[in-house]
Amino acid sequence: QSYAQCCKPFHAREKWPETPLQLMRSRYTGYAYRLPDWIIDTTHKTNSDWQSARSKWFNELLGFCDGFYFNGLDIVEDKAGGDSEHYIEFVARMSSRETAPASAPKGVKQTLRRVKWQAGSDKIGADFRERSKFIMEEGKWMYQGGDVDFDPQATIITEDGVRLEVAKSSPEAAEELRQEGSEELVQQLEDIQGKPDHPAFKKTAGRTFKAS
């Protein structure tokens, strides 16, 4: 969908997103289009990033917007948690800018310098994966918070066709295989779990990685 079809009506306040997924996409696009007010207004007050000092929060968000290129959004899982609770797992595709726009406020340039200093690079990939929680309040979906430290699952298909659901840090998975006498699979599983950057943990919607 084009921006006009997807998110512009929300940003223009013509209507409110009817689903958490619509809200998720509108927030990501809000970052890309430098719309801190929309990010603020769709963030629930229980979110750890929520601030009562709106102007300060606005400038911090603007610095974040101007510090990165927003290259795409992959939805991994869209799952209801109840009538007023919803979870979306996604991968945000981002990369840092080499320099802030010349017209950017001083605070924006300071934010970008800090990001690059922390990364030790002038231009870095900044993709991240998050499991977001949305809650319904007064008839509106709001972004309640996100967990970037969750233990994602990946489906692995071994050479003999065995399918494994693997978590990055689950010792139980290896123990179950060991009890079944599958030492070869145990070794493969432990090897994968010992490598956080293994392709098995970079699954996006519709993809399944094959273990080597």
Side-chain angles (χ1 to χ4, degrees):
Q1 287 184 323
S2 67
Y3 171 65
Q5 295 173 314
C6 171
C7 303
K8 187 176 181 180
F10 305 137
H11 295 161
R13 309 305 171 102
E14 295 173 3
K15 58 181 180 179
W16 195 265
E18 296 179 0
T19 67
L21 184 57
Q22 287 181 340
L23 182 62
M24 171 80 257
R25 294 187 184 281
S26 75
R27 284 176 57 85
Y28 180 82
T29 309
Y31 282 110
Y33 279 77
R34 302 177 75 251
L35 301 172
D37 280 325
W38 180 251
I39 303 303
I40 292 172
D41 291 343
T42 55
T43 302
H44 195 265
K45 288 187 177 182
T46 57
N47 185 292
S48 59
D49 292 330
W50 193 89
Q51 300 181 36
S52 58
R54 189 180 178 100
S55 60
K56 178 177 178 291
W57 189 9
F58 182 98
N59 288 329
E60 288 177 357
L61 287 170
L62 196 61
F64 182 82
C65 294
D66 286 344
F68 295 90
Y69 295 106
F70 295 84
N71 305 317
L73 180 68
D74 295 339
I75 304 300
V76 179
E77 185 177 48
D78 182 10
K79 184 178 182 180
D83 294 337
S84 58
E85 207 172 89
H86 203 97
Y87 296 88
I88 297 178
E89 182 183 333
F90 68 90
V91 178
R93 306 296 180 187
M94 299 163 55
S95 56
S96 71
R97 295 177 182 268
E98 294 183 15
T99 59
S103 59
K106 181 180 179 181
V108 170
K109 296 177 181 178
Q110 289 176 336
T111 298
L112 182 55
R113 281 199 298 270
R114 184 170 65 251
V115 168
K116 291 196 296 182
W117 177 81
Q118 291 173 342
S121 171
D122 281 341
K123 190 172 185 179
I124 59 172
D127 293 357
F128 70 92
R129 183 168 181 158
E130 177 181 305
R131 184 173 187 261
S132 296
K133 180 181 179 180
F134 298 84
I135 58 176
M136 175 75 77
E137 184 172 274
E138 297 180 353
K140 292 183 177 180
W141 285 107
M142 300 286 288
Y143 174 66
Q144 196 274 331
D147 181 5
V148 295
D149 295 319
F150 70 102
D151 209 2
Q153 301 288 319
T155 300
I156 298 171
I157 302 177
T158 65
E159 291 295 340
D160 54 359
V162 177
R163 296 175 66 87
L164 300 175
E165 292 296 329
V166 185
K168 280 185 180 178
S169 58
S170 173
E172 293 83 2
E175 185 57 32
E176 287 179 7
L177 288 175
R178 184 171 286 110
Q179 290 177 1
E180 294 174 5
S182 306
E183 286 298 332
E184 182 179 346
L185 293 182
V186 169
Q187 182 60 47
Q188 184 180 158
L189 176 59
E190 291 180 339
D191 178 62
I192 290 170
Q193 290 180 328
K195 299 176 181 178
D197 294 328
H198 193 283
F201 299 119
K202 295 182 180 180
K203 185 185 71 171
T204 55
R207 296 184 187 177
T208 301
F209 291 88
K210 186 174 183 178
S212 58

